[in-house]
Every structure is written in C-alpha cells, then in structure tokens.
Amino acid sequence: MPTPILVTGAAGFIGHAVAHRLLARGERVIGVDIVNDYYDPALKEARLATFAGINSFAFERLDIADADKMRALVRDNNIVRVVHLAAQAGVRYSIENPFAYERSNLAGHLSVMEACRHAEGFEHLVYASSSSVYGDKPMGGEGFKEDEPANDPVSLYAATKRACELMSQSYAKLYGFPQTGLRFFTVYGPWGRPDMAYFSFTQKILRGEAIEVYGNGQMARDFTYIDDIVDGIIGSLDRPPAQGEHRVLNIGDSHPVGLMDMIETLEQAIGREAVKIMRPMQPGDVTATYADVSKLHALTGYKPKVMLAEGLGKFADWYRAYYAAA
C-alpha cells in the first residue's frame, strides 16, 4: 500500500482538485484544512463532501501553523510527499487583515517545512507560490520568466509568497530535502473561489446587478483552467529535484486575456450581458500577468489544453447546477 500524500488546503479550490486527481490514480491522500470563513465555508464543506465514501482519503481539520500537530501528522503517517496549497489568498483582503497572512502564509509555510525536514526519507515538497511575486511588471512580447527579479511586491500577499520561496530556498540547502515552488497564474473553473473576478461577476450578472470593472478594464490576466493546473502540479510532484535543491516554476496558460475580453466571453457563457461600472486600479493589483512555462514544459511536458471560452462555459454550467441544488 502506498504511503499517503499530504495535501494542505484540501477544502480549497486547487487542493480539492489535486486530491481527487491523486485518488483517481490510486494514491492515498490525507487532506488538511482549517475551513475558515475567508469565503463561504459552505462551499468548502461541499468540496469536502465529494470525498465521502472514498476510503483512501482521510481529512484532518487543523491549522497548518500549529507546528506540533503538523509534525505529528507527518510523522505518524510516514508521509514523504507533500503538496502544500493552504494559504491566505487575496490581494485586497490583506489591506485590512495583514496578520492573517503572517499566520497562514509565513508561520504556516514554516510549520509545513519543519514537519517535512523531520520526516524520515522525505522525498518532495511542492508548494504554492504566486505570479504576484513579479510585482506590477509591464507585459511585453514574452512571458514572465522565473529567473527575473522578484523583489518589488505591490501587496502583502505577494510579499509573503516571495518570502515563502526564500524560506524554502534556505531550508532545501540547510536540511537537504527537495522542494518545488509553483507560481500560479489566475486559476479558474468549477468549484472555484468566490473572491475571484470571474466568479463574483457571474453571481452579479445572474442577479441582474452591476459589476465593478477595476483598472478601467485595461488589465490582462493569464487565466488557467483548473484541470491544466492540476496536470502541472502532479507532473512536478512526480519529478522532484535532486536532494537539497529548490526550484521555482511558472504554471499558467501562457495566453494572457484582457479583462474586457474575459467579461465578453463570460457573458456569452452565461447568456446575459453585464452592466459595467468602471473603477480605477485598486491598491495591490497588477496590470497584467503572463506566464512563460517553458521550464515546466521541459520538465513535465506541460501544455494547457482548455481555452478560456471552453473553461468559462464549464464553470457557468457548474455554477448553475451547484447553486440550483444549494
């Protein structure tokens, strides 16, 4: 019987999808999540309910920043592979709630690394970073590359994610266990996060409410469908770097889409036109994101398959089905 893989943030959007994919290929999974109220806990509980009856899945409701419990969990289950996705997300939320980021992102990441470094025969820690570490970088003809400087964060969230990368770099060298940080670029799809623009826009359009379009609609994002993201995460997990090495990889679609184009595509998926209120850029936001995924492709063969129109169509179908049943 394989040793279980630990997935933190298992009640979250990406963690839920990763856990299901691992289970589908015959892995045992232990999921961890505190199930906080940053957004609707009922959605998180509904994600967890999809694991009901799966004997190879176990769930622990705990705070990843509790170092003693995390270390005991890893030790008692002989865990040697971890996909660490739990974090306090969101750029604007950090303005009023900075200490949530200190605990979840900094103390939480340190707690997970400490548990890993004490695990016998530990093989690989894959953790979530973010495209936000690049700061408000102008988008040229090429995507953002991992070897570019990432020393000018414009949000506390970005600063904590960059700090996690630096912490992992030091731990890999000090304690000799392999780590991979994945810089996610705007993940979307069914079971997504209500704080993301495409999700909140859908809610408002279907209610007949106006949507607020920040940056006067002049922003662009590298929207990446959840199934493609999971491909990259598991491909990375299966190919650890050498002992004592730490690497950072972009994981995105590599096709940035303008915000107004995304809204138009969403309107087509929903079948309704949005009433739009244009707003200026918000503190902590960046103008554009654009992933160069050549390193991830070379390592895993990663190649996104789901284009935005298809992905938003799948999301709209899920949204209607989920909220009709809720």
Side-chain angles (χ1 to χ4, degrees):
M1 182 178 293
T3 58
I5 298 173
L6 179 64
V7 177
T8 73
F13 174 31
I14 303 175
H16 163 259
V18 168
H20 270 294
R21 183 77 67 83
L22 290 169
L23 292 165
R25 74 172 194 178
E27 303 280 4
R28 294 168 59 212
V29 174
I30 296 176
V32 167
D33 206 295
I34 196 172
V35 193
N36 66 18
D37 61 356
Y38 167 62
Y39 60 80
D40 184 11
L43 177 58
K44 299 179 182 182
E45 297 290 358
R47 294 189 189 116
L48 289 175
T50 65
F51 296 110
I54 302 176
N55 294 331
S56 51
F57 179 81
F59 180 67
E60 296 286 338
R61 193 179 299 257
L62 61 84
D63 183 354
I64 58 165
D66 189 326
D68 291 339
K69 288 184 179 179
M70 284 299 300
R71 185 173 174 181
L73 181 66
V74 168
R75 180 193 63 227
D76 295 347
N77 291 280
N78 300 311
I79 288 167
V80 294
R81 291 176 292 170
V82 174
V83 181
H84 173 38
L85 302 170
Q88 178 58 61
V91 169
R92 295 169 196 157
Y93 186 76
S94 67
I95 295 172
E96 300 295 333
N97 301 276
F99 289 102
Y101 294 78
E102 175 202 32
R103 181 165 183 85
S104 293
N105 298 3
L106 299 179
H109 190 70
L110 181 60
S111 173
V112 169
M113 288 195 300
E114 273 289 290
C116 294
R117 85 167 176 100
H118 288 288
E120 185 175 351
F122 191 80
E123 296 176 2
H124 196 191
L125 168 61
V126 175
Y127 67 91
S129 187
S130 170
S131 62
S132 65
V133 302
Y134 289 107
D136 195 10
K137 179 181 180 298
M139 186 174 69
E142 296 182 346
F144 301 178
K145 297 179 184 294
E146 295 92 340
D147 55 0
E148 296 175 12
N151 53 16
D152 190 20
V154 296
S155 69
L156 179 63
Y157 170 70
T160 60
K161 283 300 183 179
R162 182 64 180 129
C164 288
E165 293 179 353
L166 297 172
M167 290 160 67
S168 282
Q169 177 74 15
S170 66
Y171 256 63
K173 288 185 176 181
L174 283 169
Y175 304 114
F177 66 92
Q179 297 188 56
T180 299
L182 297 174
R183 291 175 174 172
F184 292 115
F185 283 70
T186 314
V187 189
Y188 76 100
W191 293 104
R193 280 175 28 209
D195 62 317
M196 299 292 285
Y198 73 94
F199 198 122
S200 63
F201 286 175
T202 299
Q203 289 178 317
K204 291 181 178 179
I205 292 169
L206 289 175
R207 292 172 183 167
E209 300 173 0
I211 64 172
E212 294 183 313
V213 182
Y214 291 103
N216 293 306
Q218 299 302 305
M219 296 189 292
R221 292 291 183 269
D222 199 343
F223 294 98
T224 314
Y225 190 68
I226 182 62
D227 291 356
D228 291 328
I229 284 286
V230 175
D231 287 345
I233 294 171
I234 294 180
S236 300
L237 178 67
D238 291 343
R239 297 165 178 84
Q243 288 293 319
E245 290 191 6
H246 169 257
R247 67 187 174 206
V248 172
L249 300 169
N250 288 335
I251 179 168
D253 188 75
S254 202
H255 291 91
V257 176
L259 180 55
M260 298 306 293
D261 291 333
M262 184 277 282
I263 293 170
E264 181 179 352
T265 304
L266 183 61
E267 290 171 329
Q268 293 171 354
I270 296 171
R272 296 189 189 181
E273 187 174 348
V275 177
K276 307 171 190 70
I277 300 173
M278 309 308 282
R279 301 289 192 199
M281 187 86 83
Q282 295 293 287
D285 273 348
V286 298
T287 306
T289 62
Y290 181 4
D292 180 314
V293 296
S294 55
K295 287 188 177 181
L296 183 61
H297 174 76
L299 177 69
T300 69
Y302 173 80
K303 187 176 182 179
K305 305 176 185 67
V306 180
M307 300 302 289
L308 187 64
E310 179 186 356
L312 286 178
K314 291 181 177 181
F315 168 74
D317 290 345
W318 168 83
Y319 183 94
R320 285 193 168 100
Y322 175 79
Y323 284 100

